[in-house]
């Protein structure tokens, strides 16, 4: 079943189709048996939100920092007399530099420091909470890079999987019909989560911790970059 779902959802035993009246996202119709419902989600590394105590995916925070980096490039275009390399870091549990700093305040203070440093023509490195600016040779080129947060792998994967499970578990009560079994297909978007044995162990630890998760019979894990599905029973 797993390989066929990854390759298009058809075999001699079942057919997997997109549900036009979701949730759930997919329906697996078995030729010998009752249909299964399958929810689908992407799993991202969870990181501290910028400026408050919430948690976001690394994709959301990266988008915020990319936008800020683009704004700084435009703001400094007319005053840059040296090539500049800007590095901004995604906040995480081991580099909590912005947990108590409001987003607007951090952004305004960082922008002010960078503008003053570039305007002065300084060639020294400017270090600030959440990154650094490295002036280079005379010129106007702009280089920009975002770095991932420092992390402890097992706790990071646990947080990621827990978020995926609980988010989709909330949808179970809204499913439009009952199914023989309910599964969650997780598409992994975190390259460091590549040990299938560890993934299975963590999922089995998480499942008993929340009564809502009892609604899932199991998880279909789609790794990165190998998308071959691993079936993990939770019942």
């Amino acid at each position: 079943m797993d390989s066929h779902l990854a390759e298009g959802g058809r075999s001699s035993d079942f057919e997997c189709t997109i549900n036009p009246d979701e949730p759930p996202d997919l329906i697996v119709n078995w030729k010998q048996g009752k249909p299964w419902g399958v929810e689908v989600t992407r799993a991202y590394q969870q990181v501290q939100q910028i400026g408050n105590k919430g948690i976001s995916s690394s994709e959301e925070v990266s988008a915020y920092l990319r936008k800020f980096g683009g704004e700084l490039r435009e703001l400094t275009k007319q005053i840059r007399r040296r090539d500049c390399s800007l590095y901004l870091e995604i906040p995480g549990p081991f580099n909590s530099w912005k947990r108590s700093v409001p987003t607007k305040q951090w952004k305004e203070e960082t922008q002010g420091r960078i503008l003053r440093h570039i305007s002065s023509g300084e060639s020294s490195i400017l270090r600030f909470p959440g990154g650094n600016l490295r002036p280079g040779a005379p010129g106007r080129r702009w280089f920009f890079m975002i770095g991932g947060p420092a992390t402890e792998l097992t706790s990071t994967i646990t947080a990621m999987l827990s978020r995926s499970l609980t988010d989709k578990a909330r949808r179970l009560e809204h499913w439009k019909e009952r199914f023989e079994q309910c599964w969650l297909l997780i598409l992994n978007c975190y390259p460091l989560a590549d040990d299938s044995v560890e993934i299975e162990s963590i999922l089995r630890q998480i499942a008993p911790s929340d009564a809502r998760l009892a609604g899932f019979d199991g998880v279909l894990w789609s790794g990165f970059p190998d998308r071959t599905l691993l079936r993990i029973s939770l019942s």
Side-chain angles (χ1 to χ4, degrees), residues 174-205:
H174 301 295
W175 282 26
K176 306 296 174 59
E177 58 181 294
R178 294 185 177 276
F179 292 89
E180 177 76 5
Q181 292 198 24
C182 303
W183 286 70
L184 175 61
L185 170 56
I186 300 179
L187 304 172
N188 178 33
C189 297
Y190 181 42
L192 297 183
D194 60 356
D195 185 336
S196 59
V197 174
E198 182 179 33
I199 297 299
E200 184 167 358
S201 174
I202 291 173
L203 284 169
R204 291 186 184 280
Q205 291 174 32

Side-chain angles (χ1 to χ4, degrees), residues 47-58:
V47 299
Q48 188 72 34
Q49 285 182 3
I50 294 177
N52 60 56
K53 297 179 181 179
I55 299 296
S56 294
S57 74
S58 56

